[in-house]
Amino acid sequence: MPRLTHAFDVAAVDREVVTRTVAAAHEVTRSCRFDGRGWLLTPDAPTRERLTRRAEELGLVDREAAARRERERVAEAERSGEEVRTAAERATATALQLQTGRHLAPRSHYLVAELSADGVPLEPRYEEEGWSSTGLTVTSWDEAGTCALEYAMPDSVGTGEPPVTSGTVAHDAAGVLTVTTRIQLPGRFPRWRAAGATLTVDTGAWYAALEAGTTGPPVRLSATHALADVTAWLSPAPRADGRWDVTAVLDVRGRGLIARPLVAMLVWAIRGSFRREERHARRDRRTEVVGPRERWERAVRSWDRVAHQARRIPDFLHDVAKAMAEARPGY
């Protein structure tokens, strides 16, 4: 069965920094305040701009990269003959509304909504902007134990309709993040329209692998479909220069005698498509065309920028938490 392997190196981050960053992120979450209608209060415009500039310095926000991605999107749409919509035409704002319960209390329900330029929630739909009307329900919030929530896209609470995408997100005090998702597209032949996946990121196992190299893959993704089972994982190793060597593996296995050759052909076709896209990107450097290799290299460079500033991120998040706690209606 097809197995793809890729090795790369990234800047290292101390475990103590990761622990402090998680604690600061919890503080930001606790500091959120909501108005009388349940909408999240945000800091005033000068404060938001100040925080955005600091986030840029830390590598957490890259407005130049966002502009570049927009140019690439427009170039791709023009090449394929699709209708080109500008960023202004597609502009929406994402807002969070506490609909029931107390903030972070078990069974509290939130709505993540996309708002139009006039501040009106958009109807649930799926376009290039993504789903609107995502529901979040807190199932546990114990920072010394487990913080967990359920999500549904679009929000299905009170509608009686099953969500297209649903799942859970959980993070425990041991540093294990677990994300599950279930997709069930509407239509005929539901078995072929369903898929599920689980992502596990074990921070403790990651650093244990760097120290001893004896643990299993600390980052693991497993996905299932009627046609195939997919498993992917990341394994780190220390380098002499202090960076991390990371090995990424993707393993695809067809389910059944008929599916196995079909899946092998599909993976072969995808690899060929990537190669063609890479050749096209190298051939025409005057356009905004970017191949898979360049996208990967950009992602690594983005990680490195954040990693080099990682020790400053907890203090930045403390500042964000203070700004959120002081937010008032009208901003």
Side-chain angles (χ1 to χ4, degrees), residues 7 13 16 32 51 73-74 112 141 158 165 194 212 221 228 234 237 243 247 258 275 285 290 299 302 305 307 313 321:
V13 177
E16 175 264 340
C32 291
L51 293 174
R73 185 196 65 80
V74 171
V112 181
W141 195 269
T165 303
L221 171 69
L234 299 177
R243 292 172 66 83
T247 301
I258 297 177
R275 292 192 184 101
R285 290 297 186 182
V290 178
S302 178
R305 285 195 298 270
I313 292 177

Side-chain angles (χ1 to χ4, degrees), residues 40-264:
L40 177 67
L41 296 173
T42 57
D44 57 42
T47 302
R48 292 198 303 270
E49 178 60 25
R50 175 178 62 81
L51 293 174
T52 300
R53 287 197 303 270
R54 284 191 62 190
E56 285 186 293
E57 295 171 0
L58 298 174
L60 300 173
V61 173
D62 191 338
R63 286 188 271 201
E64 181 179 339
R68 182 178 62 242
R69 288 193 296 270
E70 174 65 14
R71 293 194 301 270
E72 292 169 0
R73 185 196 65 80
V74 171
E76 179 62 31
E78 290 175 341
R79 282 199 313 277
S80 60
E82 298 177 0
E83 178 186 0
V84 179
R85 298 173 63 202
T86 65
E89 292 171 332
R90 296 181 298 111
T92 58
T94 302
L96 177 69
Q97 184 182 38
L98 173 59
Q99 294 193 316
T100 60
R102 293 180 297 104
H103 181 43
L104 299 182
R107 295 183 297 280
S108 295
H109 184 73
Y110 302 79
L111 177 71
V112 181
E114 290 180 350
L115 307 181
S116 69
D118 298 324
V120 178
L122 300 174
E123 291 297 322
R125 75 205 188 289
Y126 188 75
E127 293 179 351
E128 58 193 37
E129 295 93 344
W131 282 108
S132 61
S133 186
T134 301
L136 303 175
T137 303
V138 176
T139 55
S140 171
W141 195 269
D142 178 5
E143 294 173 17
T146 300
C147 297
L149 56 84
E150 299 172 343
Y151 65 90
M153 301 184 292
D155 184 34
S156 59
V157 170
T159 66
E161 297 291 331
V164 173
T165 303
S166 60
T168 61
V169 179
H171 183 270
D172 63 28
V176 179
L177 173 68
T178 305
V179 181
T180 69
T181 190
R182 174 72 178 173
I183 300 174
Q184 180 64 68
L185 300 176
R188 299 174 61 188
F189 310 110
R191 180 169 176 264
W192 303 103
R193 293 172 171 267
T198 300
L199 170 68
T200 303
V201 181
D202 188 335
T203 305
W206 181 276
Y207 286 96
L210 289 167
E211 294 172 2
T214 57
T215 66
V219 179
R220 191 174 185 89
L221 171 69
S222 60
T224 60
H225 182 264
L227 286 177
D229 292 321
V230 179
T231 304
W233 62 89
L234 299 177
S235 297
R239 286 167 51 107
D241 61 3
R243 292 172 66 83
W244 291 337
D245 270 329
V246 181
T247 301
V249 179
L250 173 65
D251 186 84
V252 184
R253 298 180 180 272
R255 305 180 72 179
L257 295 177
I258 297 177
R260 288 170 187 166
L262 290 176
V263 168

Side-chain angles (χ1 to χ4, degrees), residues 294-308:
E294 173 63 19
R295 293 194 190 100
W296 186 274
E297 291 174 353
R298 286 181 181 179
V300 171
R301 290 196 297 268
S302 178
W303 167 271
D304 284 356
R305 285 195 298 270
V306 174
H308 292 148

Side-chain angles (χ1 to χ4, degrees), residues 79 279-290:
R79 282 199 313 277
R279 287 195 299 269
H280 179 60
R282 290 197 301 265
R283 189 167 53 245
D284 195 352
R285 290 297 186 182
R286 295 170 301 174
T287 71
E288 293 288 344
V289 177
V290 178

